[in-house]
Amino acid sequence: MVALNFTILGLVVGVVSLFGIAGTLWHRKYRGPKHDRFPPGSLPWNDAFDPGPPPVPRTHTANDLAGCKSICANSWTTETYARRHGLNRLTTLEARAGPNRRLVEVFDINNLFTTIDNDYKKGFGREIGMLLRANNSDWRNIAASAADYLDLYLQSQGDEDVSLIQLIRTTTFRAVLDHFCAAEVILRDDESIVLATETINELWMLSKVQQSTSDKTNLQAKKRVLQDALKRIFPERDVASKAKENPMNIILPSYETMWRVTFHCVTEMLRRIRHDKTLKTIFDNTTREFLNDLDLDARGDGERLPMRHLINESLRLYPPTKRVYRWRQEQMADGRMSEQCALAAADIEAMQRDVGVWRGDAEEWRPMRWMLYKEGPDLPFLPFGSGSMTCPAKGGFGPRMIGVLVSVLFQNLYNIYELRTCDNAEQESLDNLAGPLDSHRDSYRYLFLWKMEAHRCGQA
């Protein structure tokens, strides 16, 4: 009996040893030896390195669901995908932080999208999770505050034409402040908020291009403009610090995600009701009833759409992040790790406009298509990313905030204003209902809200 027990024990130890050896071999094959990876403190996006864009080629771009999921989540572990494109030896945080280091340089942020410290990421994530909690009372307060601000803003413009993009940026920015930073924001003058939103957009575009000496000087000047505006809004915060207290750590991802989707959704609604009065009734009912019941999935009697259909279609056609980038460090033929990272891109926009999935009208904004499609793991719809890198606002906060902002804006604009532009290219884009709006950040600078009654009185 004793001999039998020793035999069994020996077999167990042997099996465990085999698993250990197999695990070590797998780790060396698919993750690389630990000492071959970038050691802590020497990653290419740390302050000790040149902050300019890294000289890395885009070695692979995916526009299919499996490829986009793998890149977004940094889960390059399937044999088929590895054989085609190679596995990434960087950690998930390292892979994401690399392409985002430009945001650290420009906005001095240190958040979920830029850190390589897992403990910091977990702590920051818990705080964000608490901030993303909101009940119906909170949402009604957000909607009421947005409506009050919108009313004051429009009154201040009188009968003058109103820049639609500026209106939506400032309304979104104030809504983000009201929810995330209400207790500490003292000064909320329009001038500081308008300046902050415009400068954030300019800095974002500058961060994406190779910087010449003059460009760097311009970038630093605009950084000071933004910091001065933020100091007037947050007098108690160190807005130039990369520390956790920098308000841009929260404002940048939440505001940036919201305003562009909200802008495209509202613009699509306003440009279409000029040609289809039935849509005017449907959009009116949908937004008005949503502000009453706050139910994203409520269905009407044929004259109301679920608010989620409008939001999903806007997120599909105009994803907040058109392309998701990850850095990769690969193993070379001789077994050593490459010294230079390569770049992989998940083309979310291309995937979500694929006619093979979304049919021949894939580039047309049609909320009714969501009567045929259902969100799920097999649908090429990743506006909030995938896997462990999924945006924390996906669960409900993000879509609901977009729904509130879209509803408040539409209810206050559609019966009073029309869209007008003095730019021929913008007009052609607005008139082409079968195609998407231009999603470039610099688009629609000349798109204004034209007050119908004031112009009619003037003509009379």
Side-chain angles (χ1 to χ4, degrees):
M1 180 64 69
V2 173
L4 180 61
N5 287 340
F6 274 107
T7 301
I8 294 173
L9 179 62
L11 288 173
V12 171
V13 171
V15 170
V16 171
S17 298
L18 286 174
F19 273 109
I21 293 170
T24 301
L25 291 174
W26 185 93
H27 184 274
R28 287 184 174 274
K29 178 179 179 182
Y30 291 111
R31 296 297 297 175
K34 187 173 182 180
H35 64 269
D36 279 342
R37 294 173 57 227
F38 292 114
S42 67
L43 287 164
W45 52 89
N46 278 1
D47 291 339
F49 289 78
D50 175 41
V56 294
R58 186 182 305 168
T59 58
H60 174 63
T61 299
N63 56 18
D64 62 293
L65 180 59
C68 287
K69 278 186 173 182
S70 294
I71 293 173
C72 286
N74 198 43
S75 57
W76 302 51
T77 56
T78 64
E79 183 179 351
T80 302
Y81 208 79
R83 192 162 51 244
R84 290 174 56 196
H85 308 300
L87 290 172
N88 196 1
R89 272 76 182 183
L90 297 179
T91 68
T92 299
L93 294 183
E94 291 167 355
R96 178 168 65 177
N100 288 334
R101 68 179 190 152
R102 63 186 177 84
L103 301 179
V104 178
E105 172 65 18
V106 172
F107 296 108
D108 297 316
I109 60 173
N110 182 20
N111 61 18
L112 293 175
F113 302 94
T114 64
T115 185
I116 58 173
D117 184 331
N118 197 50
D119 291 336
Y120 181 86
K121 179 229 177 190
K122 289 179 179 178
F124 199 98
R126 285 192 294 269
E127 292 185 20
I128 291 297
M130 294 293 292
L131 290 172
L132 292 178
R133 295 179 183 178
N135 55 36
N136 280 356
S137 176
D138 296 326
W139 287 116
R140 290 195 168 87
N141 288 336
I142 292 171
S145 296
D148 288 344
Y149 168 72
L150 193 59
D151 185 55
L152 290 172
Y153 186 96
L154 294 174
Q155 284 185 30
S156 71
Q157 302 300 306
D159 292 335
E160 297 295 320
D161 294 343
V162 178
S163 168
L164 180 60
I165 202 163
Q166 184 182 100
L167 175 66
I168 290 180
R169 280 178 186 162
T170 54
T171 302
T172 305
F173 195 86
R174 289 183 68 104
V176 168
L177 292 183
D178 281 339
H179 182 74
F180 292 109
C181 314
E184 59 180 303
V185 175
I186 298 175
L187 182 64
R188 300 192 186 184
D189 63 294
D190 285 342
E191 183 180 349
S192 295
I193 290 176
V194 169
L195 189 58
T197 56
E198 289 179 348
T199 311
I200 287 171
N201 197 58
E202 292 170 353
L203 284 169
W204 192 287
M205 289 189 291
L206 282 172
S207 74
K208 290 192 170 186
V209 299
Q210 184 72 43
Q211 299 291 313
S212 65
T213 302
S214 60
D215 288 333
K216 289 181 179 180
T217 301
N218 184 34
L219 187 147
Q220 292 301 320
K222 289 190 179 298
K223 276 186 67 173
R224 288 191 291 272
V225 171
L226 176 60
Q227 289 170 359
D228 289 343
L230 291 174
K231 284 176 184 175
R232 292 193 291 272
I233 301 170
F234 297 96
E236 302 300 322
R237 292 268 202 131
D238 184 358
V239 298
S241 168
K242 289 186 176 68
K244 202 172 184 178
E245 68 174 25
N246 187 339
M248 290 298 287
N249 285 327
I250 294 175
I251 290 174
L252 191 66
S254 53
Y255 161 72
E256 273 294 317
T257 299
M258 300 296 170
W259 85 257
R260 283 178 292 131
V261 177
T262 301
F263 171 79
H264 284 108
C265 186
V266 171
T267 305
E268 285 283 10
M269 295 165 75
L270 292 176
R271 73 166 174 158
R272 290 175 187 280
I273 63 174
R274 297 170 58 190
H275 306 277
D276 190 333
K277 299 305 179 186
T278 302
L279 284 180
K280 185 175 182 178
T281 301
I282 291 174
F283 293 158
D284 173 39
N285 292 338
T286 300
T287 53
R288 179 165 34 80
E289 292 302 319
F290 173 71
L291 290 175
N292 288 332
D293 57 36
L294 296 171
D295 186 349
L296 289 168
D297 299 300
R299 295 179 178 273
D301 55 0
E303 293 193 338
R304 177 189 178 182
L305 286 172
M307 191 68 207
R308 194 180 298 277
H309 288 188
L310 276 72
I311 297 166
N312 278 359
E313 184 65 352
S314 301
L315 289 168
R316 180 194 72 83
L317 197 57
Y318 310 106
T321 303
K322 294 189 285 187
R323 277 163 286 282
V324 174
Y325 296 102
R326 297 286 184 261
W327 273 16
R328 299 165 56 198
Q329 188 193 25
E330 302 171 351
Q331 193 168 16
M332 297 183 289
D334 61 4
R336 293 182 298 110
M337 301 305 295
S338 60
E339 295 181 2
Q340 184 177 353
C341 289
L343 190 64
D347 195 335
I348 306 298
E349 183 181 73
M351 179 187 68
Q352 295 185 174
R353 296 183 180 185
D354 182 5
V355 296
V357 176
W358 305 98
R359 305 187 179 182
D361 59 359
E363 294 199 340
E364 180 180 348
W365 188 79
R366 289 188 60 250
M368 282 71 80
R369 81 171 70 246
W370 287 91
M371 296 176 180
L372 305 175
Y373 294 89
K374 185 177 180 180
E375 289 184 72
D378 297 324
L379 185 67
F381 181 65
L382 303 175
F384 293 103
S386 178
S388 62
M389 296 289 101
T390 300
C391 174
K394 174 187 177 180
F397 184 89
R400 199 173 298 275
M401 177 66 94
I402 295 168
V404 166
L405 290 170
V406 166
S407 298
V408 168
L409 285 157
F410 186 80
Q411 283 294 312
N412 282 273
L413 299 178
Y414 84 98
N415 261 336
I416 304 172
Y417 296 92
E418 285 185 357
L419 294 178
R420 293 292 175 92
T421 178
C422 58
D423 183 83
N424 291 335
E426 290 185 1
Q427 190 62 57
E428 289 179 12
S429 173
L430 290 173
D431 292 340
N432 180 22
L433 298 181
L437 295 165
D438 191 339
S439 58
H440 191 272
R441 284 178 169 272
D442 205 28
S443 301
Y444 302 108
R445 290 179 298 166
Y446 306 104
L447 182 60
F448 290 90
L449 293 167
W450 183 80
K451 200 168 188 179
M452 294 181 285
E453 189 60 37
H455 285 273
R456 288 194 190 100
C457 292
Q459 291 171 1

